[in-house]
Amino acid sequence: MSAQPLMPKATAVWLIENTALTFQQIADFCALHLLEIQSLADEDYGVKIKGLSPIVSGQLTREEIERCEKDSKAALKIKELPSQLKKSKKSGKKYTPISKRQDKPDAIHFILKKFPAVTDAQIC
C-alpha cells in the first residue's frame, strides 16, 4: 500500500485550484474516486473544504508537480516524511513500575501478617 497524503480532500482541493494536473492524477495521488475529484472541482461537494498545500506540508515538491503537469500519464509520488519512516522495535521486556504490578495484594498480606499493629491508614 502506498503512502497517502494527509487530509486527502483538502490536498485535492488545493491541487485542483493551483495546478494543471488531470483529475485522474489527483484522484490517484489522493486515493479518492475520480467522481469525487470532479465534484470537488465543480463545487457540488465539499464547498467549505479549505485547500491544504502538499508543498508546504512537505508531501510534494514543486518539481514533482511540474513533472506530472508536463506528462499527463505520470503519477505523483509522495515524499516520505520522517514520521512515516519505519522505526526499529526494541526487543526485550518493558519495565513495569511497582505501582502497576499485580503483586500489591501479596505485599499488603505480608505487612498485615508481620506487623499487625499497622493501621489501615498507614497501609494506604
Side-chain angles (χ1 to χ4, degrees), residues 52-70:
L52 172 70
S53 171
I55 297 171
V56 173
S57 63
Q59 299 172 56
L60 281 177
T61 60
R62 173 55 64 189
E63 293 77 25
E64 178 69 13
I65 292 174
E66 289 171 359
R67 178 185 70 82
C68 291
E69 284 177 335
K70 291 175 187 173

Side-chain angles (χ1 to χ4, degrees), residues 16-85:
I16 291 166
E17 293 173 353
N18 298 294
T19 65
L21 295 170
T22 65
F23 289 166
Q24 188 61 52
Q25 287 173 314
I26 296 170
D28 292 341
F29 177 71
C30 295
L32 298 173
H33 194 273
L34 182 61
L35 293 175
E36 278 185 284
I37 301 300
Q38 288 176 344
S39 57
L40 283 171
D42 294 339
E43 295 183 353
D44 294 337
Y45 152 75
V47 177
K48 295 184 180 181
I49 296 176
K50 184 178 177 186
L52 172 70
S53 171
I55 297 171
V56 173
S57 63
Q59 299 172 56
L60 281 177
T61 60
R62 173 55 64 189
E63 293 77 25
E64 178 69 13
I65 292 174
E66 289 171 359
R67 178 185 70 82
C68 291
E69 284 177 335
K70 291 175 187 173
D71 181 13
S72 63
K73 296 191 187 220
L76 288 166
K77 294 178 186 167
I78 193 166
K79 281 177 33 180
E80 195 164 334
L81 300 175
S83 63
Q84 294 173 337
L85 295 175

